[in-house]
Amino acid sequence: MSEGSKGSLLAFGQVVIGPPGSGKTTYCHGMQEFMGRIGRKVTVVNLDPANEAMPYQCAVDIAELITLPDVMENLKLGPNGGLIYCMEYLEANFDWLQEKLAAFRGHYYLFDCPGQVELYTHHDALKNVFAQLAKWNFRLAAVHLVDSHYCTDPGKFISVLCTSLSTMLHVELPHVNVLSKMDLIEQYGKLAFNLDYYTEVLDLSYLVDHLASDPFFRNYRRLNEKLVEVIEDYSLVSFVPLNVQDKESMRQVMQAVDKANGYSFGDQEHRSLEALMSAAVGADFHFASTLAVQERYVQSQDKAVEEEVMDL
């Protein structure tokens, strides 16, 4: 993987990004297992210097180069400043990363990245790391995870849309936005609209109208309208729902990412995928599918409407 070598083999992979607690490490673990079952050789690269408990098999770990606790202790920095320093240190030591990755030629790469939002919205260190990987003939897609519970709060969902759009414009990679933890969405409360409204990011004026019913947000209607206009003008943000415990959900995300980074798998992998999808549900995939969650939610809404009509 010599820099600028046009004859070197292409390497495909994902950079898994998103705010803290969005499920990046869990996603990497689940995707490593899922791809492994269909015969894809997967290498997970931990680029989070604060990630100490990794459930997946980690082939390359930034902790061998630098760790957040060491930086905070020696340089007297806080968590945010320490993470930025670690990413700048990684950027200054590309040769270390290149040497580590070279040992896994022919593999599919999952890069587990830190959860600090500013690293993806305006700071350049990680962006430069991704650009350097592209020079080494890596074809990467950014998988941006967002916790699905934000859908239950219209104000937070608008904020998530703005952050996702800013990240897409700054990172400059093919982008797949993912609503994670869909198996838990029913625990967060009722949605104002059906699930596809949030995944497809449909007419956001309805969201602004819904916000206006809240006395706190009523005074900020004009601001929310302008934010929504920016999001709709770019027309870039949409989401793929994900339940890591559901194999159909994992397949949909994997295919969306493969389309984004241009990965094309062979006949053997295709047959393995078909066999996995047709197999009986095992202990590893015991939660209801995302579609079933949506169907139950829609049915509960319809039942509530019927009860209101009966009361009238």
Side-chain angles (χ1 to χ4, degrees), residues 37-307:
R37 292 190 180 191
I38 62 174
R40 195 178 298 189
K41 295 180 179 179
V42 180
T43 293
V44 182
V45 181
N46 175 44
L47 295 183
D48 185 356
N51 197 353
E52 297 178 348
M54 293 171 286
Y56 49 72
Q57 295 179 359
C58 183
V60 180
D61 190 356
I62 193 177
E64 298 177 18
L65 178 69
I66 191 171
T67 65
L68 181 60
D70 288 343
V71 169
M72 293 174 60
E73 180 180 352
N74 295 326
L75 299 181
K76 307 305 178 185
L77 294 173
N80 291 339
L83 271 175
I84 289 176
Y85 180 89
C86 289
M87 293 302 100
E88 292 175 344
Y89 191 81
L90 175 64
E91 182 187 0
N93 289 272
F94 280 139
D95 54 341
W96 174 86
L97 183 60
Q98 184 177 21
E99 180 183 351
K100 290 292 184 180
L101 296 178
F104 302 95
R105 284 191 177 92
H107 287 213
Y108 187 96
Y109 297 84
L110 296 174
F111 293 89
D112 188 3
C113 299
Q116 192 175 1
V117 175
E118 51 262 48
L119 291 172
Y120 313 112
T121 56
H122 59 271
H123 195 266
D124 287 335
L126 261 183
K127 174 183 175 181
N128 294 338
V129 171
F130 300 154
Q132 185 62 48
L133 289 170
K135 293 179 181 178
W136 294 337
N137 278 336
F138 277 79
R139 297 296 179 264
L140 301 173
V143 178
H144 184 216
L145 298 182
V146 175
D147 197 317
S148 61
H149 86 268
Y150 290 117
C151 295
T152 62
D153 188 317
K156 290 181 180 178
F157 187 66
I158 290 179
S159 176
V160 162
L161 291 173
C162 291
T163 303
S164 299
L165 177 59
S166 177
T167 300
M168 295 176 75
L169 296 176
H170 182 73
V171 171
E172 297 180 347
L173 284 175
H175 217 87
V176 177
N177 292 304
V178 173
L179 284 176
S180 63
K181 306 179 186 178
M182 285 302 302
D183 51 303
L184 302 177
I185 192 170
E186 292 176 310
Q187 300 180 12
Y188 298 129
K190 294 185 65 175
L191 300 177
F193 306 99
N194 287 340
L195 185 61
D196 58 353
Y197 177 86
Y198 300 92
T199 57
E200 300 300 324
V201 189
L202 302 175
D203 189 351
L204 295 178
S205 61
Y206 293 105
L207 205 61
V208 175
D209 292 339
H210 186 73
L211 271 175
S213 63
D214 188 316
F216 177 79
F217 288 105
R218 191 175 301 141
N219 296 329
Y220 301 97
R221 182 185 180 97
R222 184 65 174 164
L223 173 62
N224 289 323
E225 287 176 344
K226 290 301 180 181
L227 291 174
V228 164
E229 285 179 14
V230 171
I231 296 165
E232 292 184 330
D233 284 347
Y234 278 95
S235 189
L236 291 175
V237 184
S238 62
F239 295 93
V240 180
L242 171 66
N243 171 6
V244 173
Q245 301 294 337
D246 179 66
K247 59 184 177 181
E248 174 61 27
S249 179
M250 292 291 283
R251 182 187 67 83
Q252 291 177 358
V253 172
M254 184 188 73
Q255 291 183 336
V257 176
D258 286 348
K259 183 177 180 181
N261 65 14
Y263 181 87
S264 178
F265 53 81
D267 291 338
Q268 181 59 47
E269 187 173 312
H270 182 71
R271 287 194 293 268
S272 299
L273 179 60
E274 287 184 339
L276 175 62
M277 298 308 297
S278 61
V281 175
D284 290 339
F285 300 100
H286 59 277
F287 287 105
S289 68
T290 299
L291 180 60
V293 171
Q294 182 179 1
E295 287 176 347
R296 288 200 303 274
Y297 181 76
V298 172
Q299 289 171 359
S300 66
Q301 278 192 322
D302 293 341
K303 184 178 180 181
V305 171
E306 291 176 1
E307 291 177 350

